Amino acid sequence: IQFYAKDCMQRTESIRFQGKLGDRVKLHAASLNGINPFSREVWVSPADELCFEFVLKTEAFSRLKIDLGITFEGLRLLTLHDFPEGAPFPGGKMQVRFRIPAGLLRPGMYLVGLGGNEGDKFSDWFWKSDVFSFVITEEWTEAMYECSTGCINLSVKGERWVL
């Protein structure tokens, strides 16, 4: 994937992670489906898989876990992890990728959060809840039914029968 490194780096310099590890991790670049979210708005068709990529620069860690959070109207919908228990990292730059299947998120605006910790939920951490936003466009199909409400789309349908 091509990162627009110079432009992205200038815009990511303003991103500061919260938490005890916030000063040890820097966001160097980001993309969603190959688009630099710091250079333009990202609009994605619900028919497309979401591929989030981040380049982070960090100090060495005996264990480090990177987390991606997706929020809709203030509600955290999901959290993804690169390694559930964390993994050693020698320090320097790393690239992390997270994928969300096509058709899971319904049309609307979403916020991307990024952070991590030293391997478990009670360890030191870093987090930024609003790294960037993206929009799932309104494209109604049989798989993305317009009359349904909510922010998660499932192709599972109810069943009914006469008693």
Side-chain angles (χ1 to χ4, degrees):
I1 185 163
Q2 180 181 2
F3 286 93
Y4 306 97
K6 186 175 180 183
D7 181 49
C8 189
M9 209 162 89
Q10 291 171 351
R11 295 168 196 259
T12 58
E13 286 176 0
S14 64
I15 292 179
R16 301 280 184 251
F17 291 107
Q18 298 173 334
K20 193 169 182 179
L21 301 180
D23 292 335
R24 295 178 61 191
V25 180
K26 303 291 182 213
L27 180 61
H28 184 71
S31 72
L32 172 53
N33 291 4
I35 298 169
N36 173 355
F38 302 108
S39 64
R40 66 174 232 202
E41 293 179 347
V42 181
W43 294 67
V44 182
S45 167
D48 293 339
E49 175 186 62
L50 300 173
C51 180
F52 300 87
E53 295 196 54
F54 301 93
V55 175
L56 300 168
K57 186 174 182 180
T58 77
E59 297 177 9
F61 286 92
S62 59
R63 277 192 328 165
L64 182 64
K65 176 178 65 151
I66 307 298
D67 304 324
L68 172 82
I70 303 295
T71 303
F72 180 79
E73 295 183 357
L75 174 67
R76 174 79 68 87
L77 300 179
L78 55 89
T79 304
L80 301 173
H81 314 283
D82 64 342
F83 290 96
E85 303 297 322
F89 186 71
K93 285 186 183 177
M94 74 166 80
Q95 184 168 337
V96 185
R97 178 181 298 141
F98 298 96
R99 295 181 186 275
I100 296 176
L104 180 66
L105 299 180
R106 294 189 51 78
M109 180 179 282
Y110 296 83
L111 276 179
V112 175
L114 183 68
N117 60 41
E118 293 181 306
D120 66 68
K121 68 180 183 179
F122 299 110
S123 65
D124 291 336
W125 55 273
F126 67 99
W127 182 254
K128 175 80 171 149
S129 60
D130 56 350
V131 175
F132 66 85
S133 64
F134 67 95
V135 174
I136 300 293
T137 58
E138 289 187 4
E139 297 176 25
W140 307 116
T141 65
E142 240 179 77
M144 185 67 67
Y145 190 56
E146 185 174 8
C147 291
S148 296
T149 59
C151 46
I152 301 294
N153 189 60
L154 295 176
S155 60
V156 177
K157 296 183 173 126
E159 298 175 330
R160 110 170 96 165
W161 50 92
V162 176
L163 298 175

